Amino acid sequence: RKEVEQDPGPFNVPEGATVAFNCTYSNSASQSFFWYRQDCRKEPKLLMSVYSSGNEDGRFTAQLNRASQYISLLIRDSKLSDSATYLCVVIEEMGDKLIFGTGTRLQVFP
Amino acid sequence: DGGITQSPKYLFRKEGQNVTLSCEQNLNHDAMYWYRQDPGQGLRLIYYSQIVNDFQKGDIAEGYSVSREKKESFPLTVTSAQKNPTAFYLCASSKLAGDYNEQFFGPGTRLTVL
């Protein structure tokens, strides 16, 4: 089983739609969780951290479910500019080593 | 402007040649990292360094070497021992190792070995 698993997609959604991605992680001792965004052929950039209490930033909401070992990202009112690959990132118990998922590709169409 | 630079953006080499990828940061970050990204796979850690003159192997260090002679610089050498060197190589840095701080990525170098 992979340490961090994501549905690769693509998720094709119209502008204005709400879309959600999940990411599961295998290590129950994982401590920190993040969503990064990566545009085509570009470097990843931090989108948001995921806190136990949930985290909202504008149209984006991230949530953590420790019991089921998954994190989610919800995007409301999708924009064309949201089209990208969303990487789930987990830090395990010790140190600052990031474990990356393979990413979920989102394509928003007009 | 502060940031991380990688050069070159695209690099072509013949099989059997060593090649060195550049990574420079002026963010005054302590830690630096090298990842490779292959299609359909997540980023995988090659090497990382938390302090000058010290570095540790990541998950896929075989066939690679690094140095950290200066805080700002963390070059990666892809040696002929690396069996599948064609990939997208990303360098990152963060303010403090041992406690999570956001990793900032450079624009990457696409290496193609012919």
Side-chain angles (χ1 to χ4, degrees):
Chain A
R1 183 182 173 187
K2 289 184 181 177
E3 294 172 282
V4 177
E5 290 202 63
Q6 295 182 252
D7 181 342
F11 284 61
N12 296 305
V13 302
E15 273 187 289
T18 296
V19 61
F21 313 133
N22 281 347
C23 163
T24 59
Y25 60 94
S26 60
N27 187 343
S28 59
S30 296
Q31 292 295 312
S32 304
F33 309 88
F34 308 89
W35 285 102
Y36 274 69
R37 171 192 168 130
Q38 186 174 24
D39 292 295
C40 187
R41 303 180 77 83
K42 301 281 191 179
E43 73 273 22
K45 294 183 180 178
L46 180 65
L47 178 66
M48 59 197 309
S49 303
V50 187
Y51 305 124
S52 296
S53 56
N55 188 21
E56 187 172 319
D57 183 3
R59 297 182 294 108
F60 297 84
T61 300
Q63 292 194 315
L64 167 64
N65 185 318
R66 284 196 182 273
S68 300
Q69 293 182 212
Y70 74 86
I71 66 172
S72 63
L73 178 67
L74 181 78
I75 305 175
R76 290 180 296 278
D77 189 22
S78 299
K79 311 291 184 191
L80 295 176
S81 58
D82 293 334
S83 298
T85 296
Y86 291 84
L87 304 174
C88 171
V89 181
V90 173
I91 295 184
E92 296 188 330
E93 192 173 5
M94 301 291 290
D96 59 355
K97 180 182 167 186
L98 275 62
I99 311 293
F100 285 82
T102 54
T104 296
R105 193 155 69 89
L106 171 66
Q107 184 67 48
V108 181
F109 58 88
Chain B
D1 280 11
I4 304 176
T5 57
Q6 290 184 244
S7 61
K9 190 171 183 180
Y10 297 96
L11 188 57
F12 297 87
R13 279 293 182 269
K14 290 183 180 178
E15 196 172 335
Q17 289 182 329
N18 290 357
V19 59
T20 297
L21 311 184
S22 165
C23 177
E24 304 279 332
Q25 54 98 1
N26 60 4
L27 299 167
N28 199 33
H29 284 173
D30 300 295
M32 297 186 75
Y33 311 81
W34 273 106
Y35 296 89
R36 72 176 271 169
Q37 187 175 34
D38 296 278
Q41 297 196 42
L43 276 69
R44 292 183 290 166
L45 182 64
I46 304 172
Y47 268 99
Y48 64 104
S49 168
Q50 299 178 344
I51 194 170
V52 173
N53 292 323
D54 189 39
F55 47 83
Q56 288 78 41
K57 291 182 179 180
D59 299 317
I60 54 165
E62 186 176 349
Y64 299 98
S65 65
V66 293
S67 62
R68 187 88 186 275
E69 296 177 3
K70 298 186 299 181
K71 188 175 185 179
E72 302 80 19
S73 179
F74 191 42
L76 173 75
T77 296
V78 185
T79 75
S80 56
Q82 169 50 234
K83 299 303 179 190
N84 296 295
T86 295
F88 185 39
Y89 289 87
L90 288 157
C91 178
S93 70
S94 66
K95 188 186 284 188
L96 189 68
D99 185 17
Y100 181 71
N101 284 273
E102 179 184 350
Q103 289 190 14
F104 292 85
F105 286 83
T109 292
R110 290 197 178 274
L111 173 64
T112 302
V113 175
L114 306 170

